[in-house]
Amino acid sequence: MTLREMKIKTFSLIEEYYPEEPKLAEDEDVQNKINGVVNQIQLDLMKYRKIPANTEIEIAEDDDKILNLKDYIEDCYQVNKIVFNEDVDYEMIDDNTLKLPEDFEGEFTIYYYKYPELVELEPTAENYDNTYEFELDDVLLEIMPYGIAADLLKMDMISNYGEYFYKRYMEMKNSIDPRRSNGIITISGGVNV
């Protein structure tokens, strides 16, 4: 889904969608806040269906053996697992610090969950809304407009629409199944029956 499609869904929910307007809404306050709110909501939702990624890291003999993973993986939200080609006795000191044996040299793969690419608050490209693509799962993208609408309307004391959209957002968020699969069982070497 593109950012433009997300804005159309959200503006349609709050009855602010004007297709003839270049920014899709007439209300300047809504136009100015939308990108920041989109980022806030996608950072909230990404925790429920994490975005998998991986990277390979090569360590030379002279390299430091205590690694701050943020130096190697800028978009790392959470480390999932670390896979070495051989048996290596490593230690995770904290969420972002990996301690390798002093004599280690070689490659390993870090499987992690990443932060989504954020929406630019003030995009410079004219077609940015059409080119920006969300990385979130489709289920989350269907919930997202309700969170955005809730935040955009939270100060609307007269109609109380903000509260309605917030309740709906929370209901939908609470029903998210965080699993990406039902699990996989692998049997190597076959089975005698």
Side-chain angles (χ1 to χ4, degrees), residues 83-101:
V83 177
F84 292 88
N85 294 333
E86 58 195 59
D87 192 24
V88 174
D89 189 25
Y90 69 91
E91 176 185 356
M92 287 297 294
I93 296 174
D94 59 36
D95 291 344
N96 297 309
T97 309
L98 173 66
K99 182 178 180 184
L100 298 169

Side-chain angles (χ1 to χ4, degrees), residues 12-44:
S12 295
L13 271 179
I14 64 174
E15 299 176 5
E16 190 62 46
Y17 175 50
Y18 295 93
E20 69 280 357
E21 290 290 326
K23 293 190 176 183
L24 305 174
E26 287 183 339
D27 187 334
E28 195 173 315
D29 188 41
V30 167
Q31 292 173 10
N32 292 335
K33 290 180 0 184
I34 186 79
N35 287 3
V37 174
V38 165
N39 284 337
Q40 172 190 332
I41 299 302
Q42 77 170 318
L43 286 173
D44 180 39

Side-chain angles (χ1 to χ4, degrees), residues 13-14 145-172:
L13 271 179
I14 64 174
Y146 290 91
I148 297 167
D151 197 271
L152 289 174
L153 299 175
K154 67 183 171 196
M155 299 307 287
D156 183 7
M157 304 297 184
I158 297 169
S159 65
N160 226 11
Y161 283 141
E163 185 176 333
Y164 164 76
F165 286 117
Y166 177 75
K167 285 180 181 176
R168 184 72 178 120
Y169 174 64
M170 294 305 289
E171 286 172 7
M172 294 172 85

Side-chain angles (χ1 to χ4, degrees), residues 4-189:
R4 178 181 174 80
E5 292 167 333
M6 181 61 70
K7 287 180 179 181
I8 289 171
K9 279 185 161 211
T10 303
F11 292 154
S12 295
L13 271 179
I14 64 174
E15 299 176 5
E16 190 62 46
Y17 175 50
Y18 295 93
E20 69 280 357
E21 290 290 326
K23 293 190 176 183
L24 305 174
E26 287 183 339
D27 187 334
E28 195 173 315
D29 188 41
V30 167
Q31 292 173 10
N32 292 335
K33 290 180 0 184
I34 186 79
N35 287 3
V37 174
V38 165
N39 284 337
Q40 172 190 332
I41 299 302
Q42 77 170 318
L43 286 173
D44 180 39
L45 288 174
M46 59 149 278
K47 297 177 283 186
Y48 294 88
R49 289 245 178 123
K50 299 171 186 167
I51 304 167
N54 66 69
T55 189
E56 288 189 13
I57 297 176
E58 187 169 347
I59 301 296
E61 185 179 353
D62 303 356
D63 290 345
D64 192 5
K65 302 306 186 225
I66 298 179
L67 312 176
N68 180 346
L69 297 180
K70 297 265 184 200
D71 293 340
Y72 294 88
I73 314 169
E74 291 180 14
D75 62 352
C76 183
Y77 166 64
Q78 186 178 57
V79 173
N80 182 13
K81 65 181 174 180
I82 301 171
V83 177
F84 292 88
N85 294 333
E86 58 195 59
D87 192 24
V88 174
D89 189 25
Y90 69 91
E91 176 185 356
M92 287 297 294
I93 296 174
D94 59 36
D95 291 344
N96 297 309
T97 309
L98 173 66
K99 182 178 180 184
L100 298 169
E102 284 300 318
D103 61 346
F104 178 81
E105 75 176 281
E107 290 184 356
F108 59 94
T109 305
I110 298 181
Y111 294 87
Y112 65 99
Y113 301 111
K114 67 182 216 135
Y115 287 107
E117 180 184 335
L118 297 180
V119 171
E120 290 181 30
L121 298 181
E122 294 183 36
T124 54
E126 188 175 312
N127 66 345
Y128 180 76
D129 284 5
N130 289 319
T131 58
Y132 177 88
E133 291 271 346
F134 287 98
E135 298 174 89
L136 298 179
D137 185 279
D138 288 343
V139 171
L140 301 181
L141 293 176
E142 291 304 315
I143 296 169
M144 203 168 161
Y146 290 91
I148 297 167
D151 197 271
L152 289 174
L153 299 175
K154 67 183 171 196
M155 299 307 287
D156 183 7
M157 304 297 184
I158 297 169
S159 65
N160 226 11
Y161 283 141
E163 185 176 333
Y164 164 76
F165 286 117
Y166 177 75
K167 285 180 181 176
R168 184 72 178 120
Y169 174 64
M170 294 305 289
E171 286 172 7
M172 294 172 85
K173 200 166 77 164
N174 288 334
S175 69
I176 296 171
D177 182 354
R179 296 175 297 174
R180 288 198 168 268
S181 70
N182 291 332
I184 298 171
I185 297 173
T186 304
I187 299 173
S188 61

